[in-house]
Amino acid sequence: MDPSKILDFNSPLDVGLLDQVVASFYSHTTPEQNRQVLQRIITEFTEHPAAWTRVDTILDQSNSQPTKFLALSILEKVIKFKWNLLPIPQREAIKDFIIKRILKYSSNKQLYQSSSLYISKLNNTLVAVLKQEWPQNWDNFIPEVVSSSIADLEKQSTDANPSDS
């Protein structure tokens, strides 16, 4: 395992490798010298200007809660400090992505129970967006979330009862 490969932003991210790097960093059996190297690599990764563009890939492909938490921390930092520098379509895509994630995890009891810290971090990330956008740029936040929730519940109902359609 060459952990520095996660720093190559010109190649697709190996999410499995990132999971290994994060797991090794948090492992009690990792020697301190190796942990320091891993911390430097993780810090370089999270501080890279393009790191936030990999958050969706990490959240889609990672099997590690600490790695997902790291990804959301990257996104939250971008939202807090660079939000207004992002083009509006990217901001809209981020908002939509976060809401869909929250709905996905909140609407599945098993996912919800096994991922409560992740959902909490997703909620904090949404709050960071709200602090930037509401009310001036997202005055319809509440109706939009309610409508998304209703649509998600209707989809679940249809999926559960396909003969009713």
Side-chain angles (χ1 to χ4, degrees), residues 24-55:
S24 294
F25 174 74
Y26 286 114
S27 172
H28 300 301
T29 61
T30 302
E32 185 58 33
Q33 185 176 7
N34 292 7
R35 189 184 323 277
Q36 288 174 1
V37 169
L38 294 172
Q39 181 170 10
R40 181 190 56 78
I41 290 169
I42 291 169
T43 300
E44 281 184 45
F45 178 80
T46 60
E47 291 179 354
H48 192 281
W52 74 272
T53 63
R54 296 183 169 216
V55 168

Side-chain angles (χ1 to χ4, degrees), residues 17-128:
L17 177 60
L18 179 60
D19 282 345
Q20 289 176 10
V21 169
V22 172
S24 294
F25 174 74
Y26 286 114
S27 172
H28 300 301
T29 61
T30 302
E32 185 58 33
Q33 185 176 7
N34 292 7
R35 189 184 323 277
Q36 288 174 1
V37 169
L38 294 172
Q39 181 170 10
R40 181 190 56 78
I41 290 169
I42 291 169
T43 300
E44 281 184 45
F45 178 80
T46 60
E47 291 179 354
H48 192 281
W52 74 272
T53 63
R54 296 183 169 216
V55 168
D56 59 339
T57 301
I58 296 167
L59 296 178
D60 285 340
Q61 297 178 16
S62 176
N63 295 315
S64 162
Q65 290 297 316
T67 303
K68 289 180 179 187
F69 200 86
L70 178 76
L72 286 173
S73 295
I74 293 168
L75 185 58
E76 199 170 353
K77 186 175 177 184
V78 166
I79 291 166
K80 286 181 179 178
F81 300 110
K82 297 181 182 180
W83 185 253
N84 291 322
L85 300 176
L86 299 176
I88 291 174
Q90 281 184 323
R91 288 188 265 173
E92 293 298 320
I94 291 169
K95 289 183 335 190
D96 188 50
F97 179 81
I98 294 168
I99 289 172
K100 284 181 179 175
R101 280 282 154 162
I102 291 170
L103 290 173
K104 175 184 174 183
Y105 279 79
S106 298
S107 62
N108 180 315
K109 186 176 181 179
Q110 197 171 26
L111 270 178
Y112 184 79
Q113 290 175 339
S114 66
S115 307
S116 60
L117 286 175
Y118 174 64
I119 294 167
S120 178
K121 186 67 172 170
L122 275 169
N123 288 333
N124 288 341
T125 305
L126 180 60
V127 168

Side-chain angles (χ1 to χ4, degrees), residues 79 83-84 91-92 95 99 125-146:
I79 291 166
W83 185 253
N84 291 322
R91 288 188 265 173
E92 293 298 320
K95 289 183 335 190
I99 289 172
T125 305
L126 180 60
V127 168
V129 171
L130 279 171
K131 286 180 179 179
Q132 296 290 333
E133 292 287 287
W134 190 79
Q136 68 279 11
N137 297 327
W138 202 5
D139 59 342
N140 65 337
F141 163 73
I142 294 172
E144 190 175 316
V145 170
V146 169

